[in-house]
Amino acid sequence: MPVSPLKCCINPSILSADFVNLEAELARISNADAVHVDVMDNHFVPNLTIGLPVVTRIQKVSPAPLDAHLMIRNADHWAPQFADAGLDSVTFHVEASDAPIKLARELRARGSKAGMALRPVTPVEPYLDMLPELDMLLIMTVEPGFGGQAFLDVILPKIRRARRAIDGSGVNVAIQVDGGITEETIIRAAEAGANVFVAGSAVYGKPSPADAIESLRANAQLAFAPTTVPSADFGDLPHDSSR
């Protein structure tokens, strides 16, 4: 049976948007697969952005589903509240969770896709057994906390190892990369096995964010090897509250 290609998803980060005109900025990325919302608490990372009330309001005006990336302490307490708000996807950092399997199951039970993020220094191998509990694995390609950082090529082998593990297990888990994604680095990340890409300045730093999204998507899609990688369409993953 022929193997389907990976579906490329572009999730622009509104961290690079104009927060004074955020509703208009969201309208400029209506062709995005999801809107990436960076939630930072000035504790887990040295920056402070927005909290649950603002995210809930953003969801009401967003033309695309919200993909929340929680860079916050005490994820076991806070992440389920974002799922309760109806977000499509909630990603917590494994470094901020005492019980990541329990938390992933709780997010799914509350109707959100469950994502787990790894800082650049965090190895992927200790968490491969919990892949069936996840819908997405976020591999940070910069240190979390600030936009505009350069892509860390040293992370590419980690992406490849994660892709091999996912392919070998037969689970449908997307690999997201976040940090330093440009029209050039997205090709390397896609070749390594990522299929969901967070881009901030590479989208909002262009005259037409919508055109930038399409350009990024085209570059990533061309980089995929459809005969060697299985389908992992994050956009079509079902919610299964029985898990």
Side-chain angles (χ1 to χ4, degrees):
M1 179 182 296
V3 180
S4 300
L6 290 169
K7 178 185 175 183
C8 170
C9 295
I10 306 297
N11 297 7
S13 169
I14 59 171
L15 193 62
S16 297
D18 178 2
F19 271 63
V20 175
N21 300 294
L22 195 50
E23 185 171 0
E25 292 284 79
L26 289 166
R28 298 173 75 198
I29 57 168
S30 60
N31 59 329
D33 295 281
V35 174
H36 191 82
V37 181
D38 292 300
V39 179
M40 307 181 194
D41 65 356
N42 192 220
H43 295 289
F44 182 74
V45 293
N47 201 355
L48 181 66
T49 55
I50 56 178
L52 182 57
V54 176
V55 173
T56 301
R57 178 60 185 147
I58 290 171
Q59 182 176 234
K60 295 182 184 301
V61 299
S62 175
L66 294 196
D67 164 33
H69 176 193
L70 307 184
M71 289 169 271
I72 59 177
R73 288 181 180 174
N74 198 6
D76 299 314
H77 171 75
W78 288 109
Q81 297 187 43
F82 283 82
D84 284 342
L87 271 65
D88 183 70
S89 172
V90 177
T91 296
F92 62 92
H93 268 267
V94 71
E95 305 91 351
S97 172
D98 293 326
I101 293 176
K102 179 177 180 291
L103 178 54
R105 290 179 177 178
E106 191 166 0
L107 293 175
R108 283 175 156 182
R110 297 184 184 211
S112 289
K113 299 185 183 84
M116 187 175 75
L118 306 178
R119 300 182 86 141
V121 74
T122 303
V124 69
E125 284 76 14
Y127 306 103
L128 295 180
D129 287 345
M130 68 173 291
L131 285 174
E133 309 291 344
L134 301 173
D135 298 299
M136 184 169 70
L137 180 66
L138 168 53
I139 297 178
M140 293 297 299
T141 45
V142 299
E143 286 295 336
F146 294 92
Q149 299 180 63
F151 184 88
L152 295 174
D153 283 277
V154 71
I155 306 301
L156 291 172
K158 184 197 289 192
I159 299 171
R160 295 189 188 100
R161 293 194 299 272
R163 172 53 60 198
R164 285 195 296 268
I166 290 170
D167 293 353
S169 68
V171 295
N172 190 17
V173 177
I175 296 180
Q176 183 179 76
V177 287
D178 181 0
I181 296 299
T182 66
E183 289 190 5
E184 191 271 327
T185 60
I186 197 172
I187 296 173
R188 301 204 296 276
E191 288 174 341
N195 69 298
V196 182
F197 306 91
V198 177
S201 57
V203 171
Y204 278 110
K206 302 295 184 180
S208 171
D211 289 346
I213 289 169
E214 295 306 322
S215 182
L216 289 167
R217 183 180 285 122
N219 279 13
Q221 199 70 55
L222 287 173
F224 292 147
T227 59
T228 59
V229 291
S231 177
D233 183 352
F234 183 58
D236 294 336
L237 287 172
H239 297 304
D240 185 352
S241 60
S242 66
R243 289 174 292 190

